[in-house]
Amino acid sequence: MTISIPRGTKDILPGEVEKWQLIEKKARELCERYQYQEIRTPVFEQTDLFARSVGDTTDIVQKEMYTFTDRGGRSLTLRPEGTAAVVRSYVEQKMYGFPNQPVKLYYMGPRFRYERPQAGRYRQFVQFGVEALGSADPAIDAEVIALAMNLYWELGLRKLKLVINSLGDTESRNAHREALINHFRPRIGEFCSDCQTRLEKNPMRILDCKKDREHELMKTAPSILDYLNEDSRKYFEKVQQYLKDLDIPFEVDSNLVRGLDYYNHTAFEIMSDAEGFGAITTLCGGGRYNGLVEELGGPETPGIGFALSFERFIAALEAENISLNVKQEIDCYIVAVGEKARDYSVKLLHKLRMAGFSAERDYLNRKIKGQFKAADRCHAKYAAILGDNELEANKINLKKMDTGEQEEISLDEFIDYFKSIME
Ligand code: HAM
């Protein structure tokens, strides 16, 4: 019996993986431009970290975590997201004392959520994200959003919709919380059992419920924007002003609450507007989390960031019919015929590679025609053709594959010659 891949995961094969590499490369390049530095944290963390940061009334913590007990009896969880671990590390490594402030970090790697698999929703998916810690300047909110938009734009996406909201500061959120409780309490019996527990613990989560989405009370629920105090309103206005200054189009949606508990002030999502993208349109989500560092034992420190998944990024590219320009060619393919020539080609191939070229030879004992076909399949720029007779005469033929031009070169000088024409 064959063993199949776990549900909700996928293999990324050559041909497809180059797209991932290209997005990775572009993301790193942008982070360099925006001055974010890479951080790598473990794939698993203590379970409490996520309960305390993502929030124990969220779907992620309640239903979706891959949690296990290790042989030492510790409860560990495969990371469902990246922010909690970055903040854990920020506190543990005392990054608030680093000379360069704010601390601007980025990360890439797999996340794990036990979700119902469907198009765009996996149980293992790869996120790229950034976190800026230590600044409460609304200009950083705009910078973080600009970085995400720029990554999509530079890889060709056009059909994007940026949606922003403000969840306000603690005072505003408390006022909104009261209003939500008053709104839902009289008819809470009509809601799912999760929402019933959310009512007192975290009523905002009700707005994020997948089951009760269509309930009429959802549509008339009090909007957070009506409960923002002066400071929160001013902050939100400033973020909007900066986005306008940067020519980044956006919509304000007071229903945007995000699925994680640590947010306050700015929250945002970037969606794909492309036809045929499918039901799940959110490509990227993020926001401000000013209380999280303190919650995890550090000093009072503001923070903001976002994360996006490669899986949905690639799906959005496909929905917009954008094929990434992935280079798949090699410099030289050695076509060797005859036993001595084949033996010699092992050495020649090594020399080419040592000189910095991408090179390949036949390993299947193909006839000359088959070797040329293989050279074509590799998109070789040149074929170096060697037979036993040429070897004896210290010669090799070099064929330029696109024009068919061929020339004979002294074998001893081959590498130097090849270097000179490839310069
Ligand atoms: P999130 O909204 O849970 O936020 O996830 C961010 C992005 O990850 C989503 O917009 C989506 O593109 C992708 N994503 C989430 N779940 C899946 C899945 N099952 N399959 C494929 N892609 C998925 C966070 O994770 C926050 N940590 C973002 C953040 C960083 N906020 C501040 N800093």
Side-chain angles (χ1 to χ4, degrees):
M1 202 180 74
T2 55
I3 297 175
S4 58
I5 194 168
R7 216 166 117 69
T9 66
K10 67 174 184 173
D11 298 319
I12 300 145
L13 304 184
E16 172 77 5
V17 81
E18 291 78 7
K19 294 183 196 164
W20 289 65
Q21 291 166 345
L22 198 76
I23 298 175
E24 264 168 44
K25 195 166 151 221
K26 184 56 95 181
R28 286 182 199 284
E29 187 192 310
L30 270 183
C31 285
E32 168 82 32
R33 270 191 255 162
Y34 283 77
Q35 283 298 289
Y36 286 72
Q37 289 174 308
E38 187 174 5
I39 179 168
R40 300 185 186 194
T41 61
V43 165
F44 54 82
E45 294 276 350
Q46 294 196 42
T47 303
D48 276 353
L49 174 68
F50 302 112
R52 265 167 61 185
S53 54
V54 174
D56 49 17
T57 53
T58 58
D59 277 355
I60 295 182
V61 171
Q62 284 192 342
K63 302 176 190 163
E64 296 171 2
M65 294 206 302
Y66 281 90
T67 297
F68 61 97
T69 309
D70 76 1
R71 287 167 196 274
R74 302 169 193 91
S75 177
L76 299 172
T77 294
L78 298 183
R79 58 185 183 195
E81 61 98 57
T83 313
V86 169
V87 174
R88 194 262 312 130
S89 173
Y90 178 87
V91 173
E92 205 167 359
Q93 310 294 337
K94 301 191 174 50
M95 292 188 213
Y96 39 84
F98 282 9
N100 278 351
Q101 295 290 335
V103 173
K104 303 207 296 184
L105 302 165
Y106 79 90
Y107 49 81
M108 278 183 227
R111 319 280 149 199
F112 309 87
R113 295 185 193 175
Y114 191 81
E115 294 197 83
R116 196 169 58 78
Q118 61 188 102
R121 182 174 284 156
Y122 297 90
R123 289 186 172 169
Q124 174 175 328
F125 56 97
V126 176
Q127 276 185 341
F128 159 66
V130 310
E131 312 293 347
L133 290 130
S135 166
D137 185 335
I140 278 268
D141 302 40
E143 172 180 285
V144 159
I145 294 173
L147 198 167
M149 292 298 282
N150 221 350
L151 179 60
Y152 289 131
W153 283 331
E154 291 203 6
L155 286 172
L157 287 180
R158 291 294 170 266
K159 296 178 180 155
L160 297 172
K161 190 166 88 174
L162 167 65
V163 178
I164 63 169
N165 190 19
S166 171
L167 304 176
D169 61 7
T170 313
E171 187 185 77
S172 315
R173 284 170 68 105
N174 284 343
H176 183 230
R177 186 192 143 89
E178 279 307 304
L180 285 173
I181 294 177
N182 292 337
H183 177 76
F184 285 112
R185 196 177 0 234
R187 292 174 64 187
I188 194 67
E190 297 165 28
F191 285 76
C192 71
S193 58
D194 284 343
C195 283
Q196 296 186 12
T197 26
R198 285 167 180 149
L199 183 70
E200 296 298 334
K201 277 185 145 177
N202 190 355
M204 208 178 211
R205 281 271 78 80
I206 298 179
L207 303 176
D208 198 32
C209 179
K210 288 171 191 133
K211 283 191 205 137
D212 292 317
R213 211 185 327 217
E214 299 305 323
H215 195 289
E216 55 171 310
L217 283 193
M218 291 291 211
K219 292 171 191 104
T220 52
S223 156
I224 176 72
L225 295 182
D226 294 330
Y227 292 83
L228 295 184
N229 60 15
E230 186 68 5
D231 284 354
S232 303
R233 200 177 44 74
K234 278 202 180 132
Y235 193 93
F236 192 39
E237 273 166 13
K238 201 82 195 178
V239 173
Q240 294 180 58
Q241 184 54 53
Y242 285 140
L243 289 175
K244 284 180 195 150
D245 293 345
L246 302 185
D247 287 327
I248 298 176
F250 64 89
E251 284 172 25
V252 174
D253 179 356
S254 63
N255 291 324
L256 179 75
V257 292
R258 309 276 300 119
L260 306 93
D261 274 353
Y262 44 63
Y263 293 112
N264 41 50
H265 289 287
T266 317
F268 66 94
E269 287 188 354
I270 302 169
M271 336 262 190
S272 169
D273 245 356
E275 237 173 79
F277 182 65
I280 300 173
T281 55
T282 306
L283 302 178
C284 170
R288 193 161 263 292
Y289 45 85
N290 288 353
L292 187 56
V293 175
E294 238 182 324
E295 178 64 40
L296 295 178
E300 199 183 324
T301 310
I304 179 159
F306 72 76
L308 58 87
S309 72
F310 280 58
E311 287 80 359
R312 291 191 196 169
F313 199 145
I314 288 168
L317 289 165
E318 280 162 11
E320 288 198 36
N321 282 322
I322 297 163
S323 49
L324 295 181
N325 205 357
V326 180
K327 183 177 159 254
Q328 274 176 316
E329 50 182 22
I330 66 166
D331 298 323
C332 187
Y333 192 99
I334 303 176
V335 174
V337 195
E339 205 181 318
K340 287 197 183 109
R342 286 184 67 80
D343 285 349
Y344 187 85
S345 72
V346 173
K347 203 160 83 183
L348 194 60
L349 183 67
H350 182 64
K351 281 190 186 166
L352 276 166
R353 290 171 173 169
M354 294 295 276
F357 299 111
S358 51
E360 189 54 293
R361 84 188 264 276
D362 167 59
Y363 287 105
L364 296 178
N365 220 349
R366 292 182 182 98
K367 303 226 162 59
I368 185 158
K369 210 170 148 199
Q371 293 189 40
F372 271 111
K373 275 195 185 155
D376 272 335
R377 273 194 297 272
C378 297
H379 304 287
K381 287 183 214 155
Y382 288 90
I385 310 145
L386 189 66
D388 287 352
N389 291 343
E390 281 97 343
L391 186 62
E392 205 129 292
N394 192 30
K395 300 273 187 228
I396 188 163
N397 280 298
L398 189 63
K399 181 178 175 183
K400 194 161 189 294
M401 294 296 277
D402 55 355
T403 61
E405 272 169 72
Q406 197 163 315
E407 55 187 324
E408 197 180 63
I409 303 142
S410 149
L411 194 50
D412 293 336
E413 287 157 21
F414 175 68
I415 297 289
D416 285 339
Y417 181 74
F418 197 68
K419 274 187 197 161
S420 70
I421 58 169
M422 291 294 287
E423 259 169 15

